[in-house]
Structures are given as structure tokens and as C-alpha cells.
Amino acid sequence: MVYVTRGLVETLLRLASEAEPDDVTISLAVTPAGELPDADLPEETPVFTDFYLPSAGASVNAVFGVDLGTPAGQTQGRFVSHPDGYMGVSKTDDLHEVIFVGIPPWDTDALGAFDRAGQEREVTILDIEPPEKYPQ
């Protein structure tokens, strides 16, 4: 089971919709459920709550090949959009522990989660707000 906040899902799908017909790839971070007061989950359960804008640090990355937009080792997932409607992990996707895939019409029914091997994972969208702090 993969847990994600509704606000994060809605934001990712909106960014994908705005980028269409181009695709987007966005790094995602988790917050332990114990830090989410309204989460009714075991404390250590990871919940996807935060993202890093793909354009942050882009000029440094383009010149030096260093990604300054995403803190090293602090993202456990990735969101990729497939404007062509393919619900799955493609060979060109950046792989991560969990890969969320969004497709048109860019609503919550058009979101899936997969592991590195491309096996589908069950997703639960939580109606909770993450804490107002920098993700860990």
C-alpha cells in the first residue's frame, strides 16, 4: 500500500495538465505518519506529502550536471506524467522506489503507483494536511 495526501495528488495532476502535451517528472518526499496528526496509520508509515519543483536549480544542472533542486537521498518517489495515456512505467521514466504515473484526464482516477519493476501498487489518498515544515 502506498499513501499520499490529496493535496499532493491534486497538485501533481494540475502540473501535469498544465505541461501537456509535454511530460513532467517530479521528485517526491515522504513524511512519517507519526508526524501527521490526522493520519490514522502506524507512526513509521511513509506518507507522500511533498514535492520538489523540477525547474529548481535547472541552470546549474544544465551547466555542471549537478541537481541542486532536490536534496540528495531525500526523495523516496517520483511522479511522471504520460500525456499519451499509458498507465504504467515506461523505459524512459526515471525510476524510484515508488513511481506515481498520471494520465489524462488528470483526475484521481487517472493516477497509479508502481514499483521499480513496474508492478502496480495500491494507492490510498489521505484527506490530511502535511506539517508546515521542510520535508525530511
Side-chain angles (χ1 to χ4, degrees), residues 38-54:
D38 298 326
D40 189 21
L41 298 167
E43 285 190 10
E44 66 281 350
T45 303
V47 177
F48 285 93
T49 56
D50 299 282
F51 70 97
Y52 293 96
L53 289 172

Side-chain angles (χ1 to χ4, degrees), residues 86-105:
Y86 175 65
M87 179 53 80
V89 177
S90 71
K91 291 180 181 180
T92 59
D93 289 335
D94 292 332
L95 298 182
H96 235 69
E97 185 177 334
V98 175
I99 303 103
F100 290 92
V101 176
I103 62 172

Side-chain angles (χ1 to χ4, degrees), residues 48-70:
F48 285 93
T49 56
D50 299 282
F51 70 97
Y52 293 96
L53 289 172
S55 59
S59 58
V60 173
N61 188 15
V63 174
F64 299 106
V66 177
D67 182 4
L68 294 180
T70 306

Side-chain angles (χ1 to χ4, degrees), residues 70-81:
T70 306
Q74 290 195 18
T75 60
Q76 296 76 18
R78 173 116 30 222
F79 171 80
V80 296
S81 67

Side-chain angles (χ1 to χ4, degrees), residues 75-134:
T75 60
Q76 296 76 18
R78 173 116 30 222
F79 171 80
V80 296
S81 67
H82 289 167
D84 62 2
Y86 175 65
M87 179 53 80
V89 177
S90 71
K91 291 180 181 180
T92 59
D93 289 335
D94 292 332
L95 298 182
H96 235 69
E97 185 177 334
V98 175
I99 303 103
F100 290 92
V101 176
I103 62 172
W106 312 116
D107 59 24
T108 56
D109 293 331
L111 177 82
F114 301 85
D115 64 16
R116 284 187 179 120
Q119 298 296 311
E120 191 163 9
R121 308 266 315 265
E122 188 175 343
V123 177
T124 298
I125 298 175
L126 304 173
D127 289 315
I128 59 174
E129 292 294 321
E132 300 229 1
K133 66 175 185 100
Y134 191 76

